[in-house]
């Protein structure tokens, strides 16, 4: 357990070992939550935005007809693609 001091501006320094372990860097966002007489601090993890072009050609379905997302089995499609590539 580490002890830190609050500055005049209400700032604290998170110990380096904790920053390293949690991967906290300058600009990281933290969530503060009051729990009774304690404070819970959690890092907010942002998920990098995906780009459409990053997934282009990942899966290809050449079967005619209309399909719904619920009908699509990714694992099965990948197996079929691997079998076709092996032929």
């Amino acid at each position: 357990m580490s002890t830190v001091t609050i500055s005049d501006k209400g700032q604290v320094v998170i110990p380096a070992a904790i920053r390293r372990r949690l991967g906290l860097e300058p600009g990281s966002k933290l969530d503060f939550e009051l729990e009774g007489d304690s404070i819970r601090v959690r890092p907010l993890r942002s998920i990098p935005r995906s780009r459409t072009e990053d997934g282009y050609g990942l899966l290809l379905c050449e079967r005619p007809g209309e399909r719904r997302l619920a009908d699509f089995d990714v694992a099965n499609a990948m197996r079929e693609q691997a079998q076709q590539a092996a032929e």
Side-chain angles (χ1 to χ4, degrees), residues 61-68 71:
C61 183
E62 297 175 350
R63 295 180 186 155
E66 187 175 322
R67 282 168 297 288
R68 298 177 309 217
D71 297 334

Side-chain angles (χ1 to χ4, degrees), residues 2 7 11 18-19 24-25 31 33 35-36 38 44 50 57 60 64 70 73 76-77 83-84:
S2 300
S7 74
Q11 299 169 326
I18 293 174
R19 291 194 316 265
L24 299 175
E25 299 173 339
D31 179 51
E33 192 174 323
E35 292 184 351
S38 298
L44 293 177
S50 58
L60 179 63
D73 181 356
N76 191 34
Q83 287 173 351
Q84 289 174 358

Side-chain angles (χ1 to χ4, degrees), residues 5 10-11 16 19 22 29 31 36 39 44 48-49 57-59 67 69-70 76 78-80 83 87:
T5 303
Q11 299 169 326
R19 291 194 316 265
L22 295 178
K29 304 277 187 201
D31 179 51
I39 301 170
L44 293 177
R49 297 190 93 184
L58 184 63
L59 295 174
R67 282 168 297 288
L69 186 57
N76 191 34
M78 292 175 72
R79 276 192 296 276
E80 289 176 7
Q83 287 173 351
E87 293 174 355

Side-chain angles (χ1 to χ4, degrees), residues 14-25 28-31 41-46:
I14 300 170
I18 293 174
R19 291 194 316 265
R20 279 192 300 273
R21 182 166 178 191
L22 295 178
L24 299 175
E25 299 173 339
S28 294
K29 304 277 187 201
L30 300 174
D31 179 51
V41 182
R42 293 182 301 184
L44 293 177
R45 303 286 182 212
S46 61

